[in-house]
């Protein structure tokens, strides 16, 4: 849609199209909030009151609660693995394709494949896996793909191999792992959901990007195989974190039946 409209209406007018889509999103958010508030009141819950607390409350919860610690660790390492793969992909593309146009086509093919595979998996697999088997398959399947992918890359860091691994790992993250992680927040109280969740999405997510970006700069001088070898080791630690997360997740109640803590 973007490519077609860019050619027909131009980039400046394309911004107006984007603004129109965002306006529709605002209306959807407003309607969704009305529905959610009415639903919570009908169930006897008041989620509109202020939670209080200090700015570091989310970090305190993470360091105190094992489930949140493993979730934060998994997010931090997952972002790190993605950084190593993404940055090394750019280096391999510069070496493997002579022109900017060829590199653009290479990246575009990866993006299209990621989105198509994500859509297919979400439509036909994610809900079935989670409703039948719970959280374990949507967390462990991406972990297995990550380990196998980095092992292959450490042995053969070729452009098409990198593209294949990138498509599989990114689509798994969007279609399986992220939806799986988000369902954990539906079974905990607001303190965990909003304070700890916000801390994980900022301090740990962005912290992982910065930390591993600097790590990549140090590793890149040793070549692709070293970068992917370290990525394999990080993926191994991430898999352990995922396994520990699943152990803690089984201790949660199936529904929000607990009393919220201040």
């Amino acid at each position: 849609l973007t490519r077609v409209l860019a050619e027909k209406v131009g980039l400046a007018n394309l911004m107006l199209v984007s603004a129109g889509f965002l306006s529709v999103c605002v209306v959807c958010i407003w309607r969704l909030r009305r529905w959610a508030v009415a639903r919570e009141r009908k169930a006897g819950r008041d989620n509109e009151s202020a939670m209080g607390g200090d700015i570091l409350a989310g970090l305190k919860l993470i360091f105190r609660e094992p489930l949140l610690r493993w979730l934060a660790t998994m997010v931090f390492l997952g972002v790190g693995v993605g950084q190593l793969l993404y940055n090394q992909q750019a280096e391999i593309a510069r070496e493997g394709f002579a022109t900017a146009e060829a590199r653009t086509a290479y990246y575009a093919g990866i993006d299209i494949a990621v989105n198509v595979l994500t859509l297919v998996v979400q439509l036909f697999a994610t809900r079935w896996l989670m409703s039948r088997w719970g959280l374990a398959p949507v967390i462990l399947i991406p972990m297995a793909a990550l380990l196998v992918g980095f092992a292959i890359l450490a042995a053969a860091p070729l452009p098409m191999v990198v593209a294949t691994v990138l498509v599989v790992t990114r689509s798994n993250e969007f279609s399986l792992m992220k939806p799986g992680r988000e369902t954990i927040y539906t079974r905990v109280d607001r303190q965990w959901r909003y304070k700890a969740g916000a801390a994980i999405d900022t301090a740990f997510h962005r912290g992982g990007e910065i930390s591993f970006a600097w790590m990549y700069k140090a590793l890149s001088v040793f070549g692709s195989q070293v970068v992917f070898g370290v990525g394999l080791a990080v993926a191994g630690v991430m898999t352990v974190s995922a396994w520990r997360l699943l152990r803690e997740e089984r201790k949660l109640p199936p529904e929000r039946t607990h009393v919220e803590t201040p």
Side-chain angles (χ1 to χ4, degrees):
L1 181 62
T2 302
R3 185 171 60 187
V4 171
L5 289 177
E7 294 173 353
K8 291 185 178 294
V9 305
L11 293 178
N13 291 325
L14 193 59
M15 297 301 100
L16 296 176
V17 176
S18 299
F21 281 125
L22 289 171
S23 300
V24 175
C25 290
V26 171
V27 173
C28 293
I29 291 169
W30 175 67
R31 295 296 300 272
L32 176 61
R33 181 186 177 277
R34 289 181 57 189
W35 174 85
V37 170
R39 180 176 179 269
E40 292 295 284
R41 287 174 178 169
K42 185 177 180 180
R45 295 187 289 262
D46 179 19
N47 282 342
E48 290 292 291
S49 59
M51 290 184 289
D54 62 82
I55 194 171
L56 298 177
L59 291 174
K60 293 175 182 177
L61 277 171
I62 291 169
F63 288 111
R64 190 172 71 222
E65 301 293 342
L67 184 145
L68 293 173
R69 282 203 305 271
W70 291 116
L71 182 58
T73 302
M74 195 172 71
V75 169
F76 180 84
L77 296 177
V79 171
V81 168
Q83 277 288 98
L84 295 177
L85 181 55
Y86 180 82
N87 283 292
Q88 194 59 33
Q89 170 216 22
E91 184 64 29
I92 290 173
R94 280 193 293 268
E95 295 175 356
F97 300 98
T99 64
E101 290 78 12
R103 289 192 292 272
T104 300
Y106 171 74
Y107 292 132
I110 291 175
D111 286 340
I112 291 172
V114 167
N115 286 297
V116 170
L117 186 57
T118 298
L119 183 62
V120 170
V121 173
Q122 284 186 334
L123 284 174
F124 299 107
T126 304
R127 177 172 177 157
W128 177 77
L129 286 170
M130 294 189 67
S131 60
R132 185 173 179 85
W133 306 105
L135 191 61
V138 298
I139 296 294
L140 295 179
I141 289 173
M143 289 293 93
L146 200 61
L147 289 170
V148 172
F150 268 85
I152 294 173
L153 287 174
L158 302 174
M160 292 314 298
V161 177
V162 174
T164 302
V165 173
L166 196 60
V167 168
V168 173
T169 55
R170 284 180 63 191
S171 62
N172 278 340
E173 165 66 18
F174 298 143
S175 63
L176 294 175
M177 184 166 285
K178 184 171 174 57
R181 289 199 310 264
E182 294 300 318
T183 61
I184 294 175
Y185 291 120
T186 67
R187 297 161 59 192
V188 298
D189 64 33
R190 289 195 300 160
Q191 302 287 328
W192 287 35
R193 187 159 62 250
Y194 297 120
K195 292 183 178 180
I200 290 171
D201 289 341
T202 53
F204 288 88
H205 192 284
R206 299 308 173 191
E209 288 185 336
I210 294 171
S211 300
F212 280 87
W214 282 104
M215 181 185 291
Y216 173 77
K217 289 179 71 70
L219 294 173
S220 60
V221 298
F222 299 104
S224 296
Q225 290 182 310
V226 171
V227 172
F228 292 133
V230 172
L232 179 61
V234 174
V237 178
M238 186 181 172
T239 302
V240 174
S241 301
W243 175 69
R244 295 299 298 270
L245 173 69
L246 291 171
R247 288 185 60 185
E248 295 297 328
E249 180 267 341
R250 294 190 188 99
K251 301 176 184 178
L252 292 176
E255 296 187 15
R256 295 182 298 173
T257 57
H258 54 274
V259 178
E260 296 199 1
T261 56

